[in-house]
Amino acid sequence: EIFVASADGKPRAGLKAHELGGIVSAQNSAGQTNVLMLGKDQGGTFVVADGQGRPVAEIATVDGEGVVSIKGKAGYQMAYMGCDENRGVISVLGKEGEQAAALTSNEKGGMLVVFDPKGEPKTTLPK
């Protein structure tokens, strides 16, 4: 483990080997982690936190595919972007994680789906 501290001795950046993998982090003056990069056998994860140390954005690999996730202040996922071998998707969620809108692609092209407040598909473009 290696870390860099501020003049008052608080860790500000670190490099660490852990059973999960290799970790690189940066902390604010209060010692809260603002950025975390984790390398593991399944792939990498990059997490950005707000001033209070709450994770708000994450870039990661999930089952070998790329995912970008954005969270709101309450911790709920508010948007994500992902892909698999067949399509890409950008999705916007409501304040409690319910689906609100999605832009997706497949072998026929692209589609915009708008959902009702319960998260059920309401309309699509093209129809």
Side-chain angles (χ1 to χ4, degrees):
E1 181 174 351
I2 299 170
F3 73 92
V4 178
S6 60
D8 62 1
K10 289 184 182 175
R12 296 300 303 268
L15 177 64
K16 183 177 184 178
H18 191 271
E19 62 265 6
L20 295 176
I23 300 172
V24 177
S25 64
Q27 294 78 26
N28 62 20
S29 61
Q32 296 161 318
T33 299
N34 289 123
V35 178
L36 178 72
M37 183 170 56
L38 173 63
K40 52 190 173 185
D41 291 343
Q42 299 83 7
T45 301
F46 187 82
V47 180
V48 178
D50 65 11
Q52 288 72 46
R54 291 184 301 245
V56 294
E58 181 176 333
I59 301 172
T61 57
V62 175
D63 297 327
E65 307 293 344
V67 174
V68 177
S69 174
I70 308 297
K71 294 181 180 181
K73 287 183 179 181
Y76 294 111
Q77 182 170 300
M78 299 297 293
Y80 69 87
M81 179 171 48
C83 65
D84 62 25
E85 60 191 36
N86 298 312
R87 68 184 183 115
V89 64
I90 298 173
S91 185
V92 178
L93 308 169
K95 68 178 183 174
E96 295 183 7
E98 69 279 2
Q99 187 80 38
L103 178 61
T104 185
S105 66
N106 62 25
E107 67 279 351
K108 296 179 183 177
M111 178 185 296
L112 174 64
V113 183
V114 179
F115 297 83
D116 68 16
K118 295 178 183 177
E120 298 294 323
K122 184 176 181 178
T123 189
T124 62
L125 292 173
K127 293 204 175 234

